[in-house]
């Protein structure tokens, strides 16, 4: 599993924008930036939709005021689902990134097999990344939602 002080792996994450599909190279996207990256097991799922993403939506301005350049949400879903979920959640300030084949999640060592629920998905986590290096990593225990909340991450900035 990736650890604090390590660089993010080279990977591609997809984003469906108003101009079409954009495939972001993680190393380029986060270069020279302060990023809050959080991951959810799945778009439109209960905890993710009722608490995790909404917390970041509500506090987006406060994150920006603390020098965060990008707030990004990643899930092992396709870019169409991530865009629809972002729109449904009024997440205009959040970069909704798709890890469709879980390659980024696996490279981080943060995948989990949910079996019939949806196969390989991401564990729930939040990290602070500065110029591509993880400076803080909060990984949730299974079935927990404590350390990756927006309020917790905001307090640590």
């Amino acid at each position: 599993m990736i650890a604090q002080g390590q660089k993010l792996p080279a990977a591609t994450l997809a984003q469906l924008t108003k101009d079409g599909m954009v495939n972001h190279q993680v190393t380029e996207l986060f270069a020279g930036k302060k990023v809050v990256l959080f991951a959810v097991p799945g778009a439109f799922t209960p905890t993710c939709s009722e608490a995790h993403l909404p917390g970041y939506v509500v506090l987006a301005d406060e994150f920006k005021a603390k020098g965060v350049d990008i707030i990004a949400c990643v899930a092992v879903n396709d870019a169409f689902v991530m865009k629809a979920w972002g729109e449904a959640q009024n997440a205009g300030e959040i970069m909704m990134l798709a890890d469709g084949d879980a390659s980024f999640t696996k490279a981080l060592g943060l995948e989990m097999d949910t079996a019939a629920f949806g196969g390989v998905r991401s564990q729930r986590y939040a990290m602070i990344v500065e110029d591509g290096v993880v400076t803080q990593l909060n990984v949730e225990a299974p079935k927990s939602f404590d350390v990756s909340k927006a309020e917790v991450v905001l307090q640590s900035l």
Side-chain angles (χ1 to χ4, degrees):
M1 178 173 62
I2 195 160
Q4 288 179 198
Q6 293 182 324
K7 287 187 87 62
L8 289 176
T12 303
L13 294 171
Q15 179 186 25
L16 185 59
T17 70
K18 61 180 174 42
D19 299 320
M21 190 68 69
V22 178
N23 290 308
H24 296 284
Q25 298 304 314
V26 171
T27 50
E28 293 172 20
L29 180 64
F30 296 165
K33 295 183 179 79
K34 185 176 205 170
V35 179
V36 170
L37 174 67
F38 67 100
V40 298
F44 292 105
T45 57
T47 301
C48 305
S49 291
E50 294 166 13
H52 207 174
L53 178 56
Y56 286 93
V57 170
V58 169
L59 296 174
D61 289 341
E62 291 183 49
F63 278 104
K64 301 282 181 161
K66 293 213 178 222
V68 173
D69 299 299
I70 298 172
I71 305 166
C73 175
V74 67
V76 180
N77 285 113
D78 64 63
F80 298 95
V81 168
M82 292 300 287
K83 182 177 190 302
W85 188 40
E87 289 172 351
Q89 294 284 324
N90 297 310
E93 295 296 313
I94 313 298
M95 184 175 268
M96 303 298 287
L97 299 172
D99 184 19
D101 64 357
S103 58
F104 176 67
T105 299
K106 289 175 182 176
L108 292 173
L110 289 167
E111 77 276 7
M112 64 178 175
D113 188 349
T114 64
F117 170 77
V120 175
R121 297 291 181 120
S122 177
Q123 293 180 53
R124 186 181 305 281
Y125 66 84
M127 63 173 69
I128 298 171
V129 180
E130 296 188 42
D131 193 24
V133 176
V134 178
T135 58
Q136 181 171 328
L137 176 61
N138 298 354
V139 181
E140 296 287 359
K143 300 187 188 271
S144 294
F145 179 55
D146 298 306
V147 299
S148 65
K149 291 179 181 180
E151 298 83 358
V152 171
V153 176
L154 184 63
Q155 286 176 357
S156 67
L157 287 170

